[in-house]
Amino acid sequence: RDHLTEDEMTQIAIYLSWGGKLREAETELRALLRKNPANTRARTQLARVLLWSGNQEGVNNALTEAETILKKLPADQDALYIKAEGLRFKGETDRAIAIYNSLLVRSDDFDTRIGLSYAYLEKGDIGQARMTSLPLRPVFPYQKQDFEKLSRELEKASMPPPKIATVSQADGLKAE
């Protein structure tokens, strides 16, 4: 490790996170940030890793890291995206939608657009979720999986609720 540059160690931590080794990546990224708190690339990846942890504490910590970046770089697209995702995961869909939309004005991006689609879906606006998802074109395998999952969620949300027999209707049923 001592012979690797800060950039090389950051890249290794990124690869670890992409490989699903989130704890190891977090450990490496925190060590890098202890040495150089101004390493925006490491801080951004740490925020992603914390977000990917899938728990509320991780989401809250990811938002804190994103805000740290945004204090210095208010237009940082990665930090804004992480903030939008974190807000969506916390159920603050209106705030997330505003950020996603501001990002899409700058650049149409698969991850931002799918996040916006999910935010509309979670808000109960199935039509807007569907419209937002129309331009999605997966390029990478993870995007294809995310797109297929969103498509299933949209289909499920569009289905009418199942009919449930009332007690009086059930009394009229015959056992065979």
Side-chain angles (χ1 to χ4, degrees):
R1 288 182 188 195
D2 293 336
H3 65 282
L4 297 174
T5 67
E6 185 175 326
D7 284 341
E8 290 169 332
M9 286 303 300
T10 302
Q11 192 60 49
I12 288 170
I14 290 170
Y15 290 148
L16 285 169
S17 68
W18 288 351
K21 298 192 178 295
L22 300 181
R23 285 191 191 122
E24 293 88 342
E26 181 180 351
T27 299
E28 293 299 328
L29 292 163
R30 287 193 185 282
L32 283 163
L33 289 168
R34 275 192 298 279
K35 290 180 184 174
N36 179 8
N39 184 335
T40 302
R41 190 166 168 234
R43 189 168 305 282
T44 300
Q45 192 62 28
L46 175 60
R48 283 190 188 105
V49 166
L50 293 167
L51 192 65
W52 295 341
S53 72
N55 63 56
Q56 194 61 48
E57 182 182 356
V59 170
N60 290 336
N61 290 334
L63 285 168
T64 300
E65 295 297 339
E67 288 297 340
T68 300
I69 296 165
L70 292 169
K71 283 178 188 167
K72 289 184 189 176
L73 305 166
D76 186 283
Q77 291 206 217
D78 290 325
L80 286 167
Y81 171 76
I82 291 163
K83 182 175 180 176
E85 288 283 280
L87 291 170
R88 180 172 68 86
F89 293 159
K90 288 180 68 165
E92 297 182 38
T93 53
D94 288 332
R95 290 179 63 201
I97 287 169
I99 296 170
Y100 287 131
N101 279 321
S102 74
L103 289 169
L104 286 175
V105 167
R106 297 178 196 173
S107 168
D108 200 331
D109 162 272
F110 181 92
D111 294 328
T112 302
R113 184 165 290 281
I114 202 163
L116 179 59
S117 297
Y118 271 115
Y120 281 124
L121 183 61
E122 290 161 12
K123 189 176 176 176
D125 192 341
I126 299 162
Q128 190 62 42
R130 193 175 301 285
M131 289 285 291
T132 302
S133 72
L134 288 176
L136 286 171
R137 300 289 177 263
V139 176
F140 302 108
Y142 84 90
Q143 291 176 337
K144 185 176 180 195
Q145 290 174 343
D146 289 349
F147 180 72
E148 289 169 354
K149 181 181 176 195
L150 174 65
S151 297
R152 286 190 303 273
E153 292 292 325
L154 285 168
E155 184 66 30
K156 190 167 98 177
S158 299
M159 296 173 83
K163 292 186 178 183
I164 300 174
T166 63
V167 173
S168 62
Q169 290 172 329
D171 287 343
L173 298 176
K174 295 181 182 178
E176 303 207 12

